[in-house]
Amino acid sequence: QSALTQPASVSGSPGQSITISCTGTSSDIGSHYLVSWYQQHPGKVPKLMIHEVTERPSGVSNRFSGSKSGNTASLTISGLQAEDEADYYCCSYAGGTNVIFGGGTKLTVL
Amino acid sequence: QVQLQQSGPGLVKPSQTLSLTCAVSGDSVSSSTATWSWVRQSPSRGLEWLGRTYYRSKWYYDYALSVKSRLAIYPDISKNQFSLQLNSVTPEDTAVYYCVRDRSGFKWYFDLWGRGILVTVSS
């Protein structure tokens, strides 16, 4: 099973909105509403930001939102803040007992 | 507060067995809703789910195809922990290994992560 495809990097200025895409196939993202997103600061542990495509865990800022269309899921961060600078990973259930991650996107806040 | 406390060696020789343990506090490894997984992260392979265990009247075990022949994950109810054993390791198994919880059970999202252990496979 190939990894999900994410852009290597995205950037934005404070206050702006950015969107990170995550492209899979009809066997994973396209077939299930089980997409999650993780934020990882350098040297830190991944943190769950979004689950089940659009659901935000308690404590996660409402500036983070998720969506899905066809085989592509997206994470949008609005009102960018310096603390949002991190790596972001998508993850999707892929059937059976199979889950796959994206290669990660480095977000730079200019 | 739920925590996952990992332990194990940071260096393993090629062809030997990698063993890690994850102690659970604030939750039960025998939970009827959660599942308990191992995920690893390396520059070459990125994030990779390895396998999981969970209890639903009996114990279940699922493994990623990439490691299925070499991996065992098993619970220790008396110590409220679960462990990973990866046999016949090679330098490609060098990675940070995380134990993680999926509190939903079957919605495949990982809400709690251990701190991670960097395991290097080298002679």
Side-chain angles (χ1 to χ4, degrees):
Chain A
Q1 190 88 31
S2 299
L4 304 172
T5 301
Q6 299 181 233
S9 62
V10 298
S11 62
S13 299
Q16 288 186 332
S17 294
I18 63 95
T19 296
I20 299 172
S21 62
C22 171
T23 301
T25 70
S26 57
S27 297
D28 39 69
I29 292 177
S31 296
H32 308 284
Y33 279 81
L34 299 177
V35 176
S36 52
W37 289 88
Y38 302 86
Q39 175 193 65
Q40 186 177 34
H41 288 106
K44 300 297 186 181
V45 176
K47 176 186 176 184
L48 177 67
M49 305 302 285
I50 295 286
H51 62 90
E52 295 170 85
V53 179
T54 62
E55 300 300 308
R56 229 178 7 257
S58 174
V60 172
S61 170
N62 59 10
R63 297 185 298 105
F64 291 83
S65 62
S67 62
K68 186 185 86 147
S69 177
N71 296 339
T72 299
S74 299
L75 174 71
T76 297
I77 308 174
S78 59
L80 265 183
Q81 299 179 0
E83 67 203 48
D84 300 332
E85 185 163 294
D87 294 328
Y88 291 85
Y89 296 90
C90 60
C91 176
S92 176
Y93 176 61
T97 53
N98 189 17
V99 62
I100 53 175
F101 288 89
T105 297
K106 181 178 180 59
L107 169 62
T108 300
V109 180
L110 302 171
Chain B
Q1 183 183 1
V2 186
Q3 289 185 327
L4 303 178
Q5 184 69 36
Q6 299 181 226
S7 60
L11 180 64
V12 181
K13 289 182 167 49
S15 80
Q16 293 192 342
T17 297
L18 185 168
S19 297
L20 300 173
T21 296
C22 182
V24 180
S25 59
D27 198 349
S28 171
V29 72
S30 303
S31 165
S32 59
T33 54
T35 64
W36 307 92
S37 293
W38 289 92
V39 172
R40 68 182 177 184
Q41 184 175 28
S42 66
S44 60
R45 301 173 71 96
L47 284 163
E48 181 182 14
W49 177 81
L50 299 176
R52 66 178 181 178
T53 187
Y54 59 95
Y55 184 77
R56 301 290 186 270
S57 301
K58 69 173 187 177
W59 287 99
Y60 291 85
Y61 311 91
D62 295 316
Y63 302 112
L65 287 176
S66 61
V67 292
K68 189 171 186 176
S69 63
R70 300 190 292 131
L71 179 63
I73 295 175
Y74 55 93
D76 183 335
I77 302 168
S78 65
K79 296 181 179 178
N80 201 29
Q81 64 186 30
F82 62 106
S83 299
L84 168 151
Q85 278 195 341
L86 184 65
N87 301 323
S88 305
V89 297
T90 71
E92 277 217 345
D93 295 310
T94 294
V96 176
Y97 285 76
Y98 296 99
C99 58
V100 300
R101 180 187 73 172
D102 174 357
R103 70 178 179 209
S104 74
F106 288 92
K107 295 185 178 178
W108 292 97
Y109 63 85
F110 307 114
D111 67 295
L112 185 66
W113 295 62
R115 294 187 66 177
I117 291 180
L118 173 60
V119 178
T120 301
V121 179
S122 175
S123 54

